[in-house]
Amino acid sequence: MEIVYFDELESTQIYLSDKIRSGEITNNTAICAFIQSAGIGSRDNAWQSKQGNLHVSFCIKTQELVQDLPLASASIYFAFLMKEVLQRKNSKVWIKWPNDFYIEDKKIGGLMSSKINDFLVVGIGINLKYAPFNAEILDIEVDIAKLLNEYFSYVDEKILWKNIFSKYMLEFEKSRNFFIHNEGKILSLKDALLYKDGSILLDNKRIYSLR
């Protein structure tokens, strides 16, 4: 994975997506910006951030993904890999369904994924130094370049989805104390049924994590 660093971008996700669509990026690539002025969060909300936080987007050719990984499971899969890298450094971070990084009951970041042409595009934002109101920062100090090198080395190990999911099933129980937004509704995860692809049955609907 080639990692390209920028001092500032409006959005690593938009920059990378545009380069893929224009044909300028044809190989697996990561884009990291030390300052991101117009980040995108879940449900197309603005992601508030400042210098010192992690803003990275990367693309992987879909044919190079782990063989048993459904696209619907991608957000959970890549979020969980980052969580495990951070936990090795003694962070207490956990993943709230489907793709939010939490410390205890406060959000510290999130992940989003989408398919563009022949690539899966994944964006990760984590509060390392600054958190907006009602959010929190990561509970350990990390060096961004070292963290990304470790993360993409772990991605390259191509851990099977079934092995990640077996661990995520246990962690999902923490999510039952929280709510999600779906189609304009706020839904409790208390009685959600988790499927093997990481989707859930809630409010009589199958809800997927890919977004």
Side-chain angles (χ1 to χ4, degrees):
M1 178 78 68
E2 178 186 9
I3 308 175
V4 183
Y5 290 92
F6 289 86
D7 289 332
E8 182 172 358
L9 287 175
E10 287 189 0
S11 163
T12 59
Q13 193 79 353
I14 291 175
Y15 179 90
L16 180 58
S17 299
D18 287 348
K19 294 294 184 183
I20 292 171
R21 291 190 180 100
S22 68
E24 294 177 68
I25 287 181
T26 57
N27 294 309
N28 298 347
T29 304
I31 302 295
C32 179
F34 293 112
I35 299 175
Q36 181 171 258
S37 57
I40 301 173
S42 59
R43 305 187 306 282
D44 293 326
N45 291 331
W47 176 260
Q48 299 178 41
S49 190
K50 286 186 177 180
Q51 185 171 8
N53 287 350
L54 175 65
H55 326 99
V56 64
S57 297
F58 62 93
C59 61
I60 298 178
K61 291 179 180 178
T62 52
Q63 67 265 31
E64 296 180 22
L65 293 171
V66 175
Q67 62 183 15
D68 71 335
L69 179 64
L71 280 180
S73 310
S75 292
I76 293 173
Y77 179 83
F78 287 104
F80 204 85
L81 293 184
M82 176 60 80
K83 185 211 79 154
E84 291 200 315
V85 170
L86 292 171
Q87 284 191 335
R88 291 174 189 169
K89 301 176 180 294
N90 296 318
S91 172
K92 292 183 173 61
V93 63
W94 64 280
I95 304 298
K96 172 187 167 288
W97 193 92
N99 49 12
D100 289 331
F101 298 98
Y102 266 62
I103 297 291
E104 296 180 348
D105 63 345
K106 297 291 186 181
K107 184 175 178 178
I108 66 161
L111 179 149
M112 58 191 299
S113 65
S114 60
K115 185 179 180 297
I116 300 177
N117 297 342
D118 296 326
F119 286 99
L120 178 74
V121 180
V122 178
I124 301 176
I126 299 178
N127 301 327
L128 302 180
K129 299 292 184 181
Y130 162 82
F133 176 74
N134 209 32
E136 191 52 85
I137 63 172
L138 185 66
D139 55 346
I140 58 171
E141 292 277 340
V142 296
D143 176 271
I144 289 175
K146 290 180 180 178
L147 175 64
L148 292 182
N149 285 336
E150 289 180 42
Y151 177 65
F152 290 121
S153 291
Y154 196 31
V155 169
D156 286 342
E157 291 183 26
K158 295 192 174 182
I159 311 272
L160 291 177
W161 162 245
K162 68 177 183 180
N163 295 335
I164 295 298
F165 181 72
S166 66
K167 292 183 281 189
Y168 181 72
M169 282 178 61
L170 301 175
E171 183 149 299
F172 179 77
E173 295 304 309
K174 294 182 180 180
S175 291
R176 296 192 185 281
N177 296 321
F178 294 83
F179 297 81
I180 62 165
H181 295 262
N182 183 257
E183 296 181 350
K185 295 181 180 179
I186 299 177
L187 303 174
S188 170
L189 290 169
K190 180 180 178 182
D191 297 317
L193 175 64
L194 181 68
Y195 288 96
K196 288 184 178 180
D197 63 357
S199 64
I200 58 173
L201 181 66
L202 193 61
D203 197 30
N204 295 315
K205 291 181 181 178
R206 191 84 172 257
I207 304 174
Y208 292 87
S209 63
L210 182 66
R211 65 187 187 194

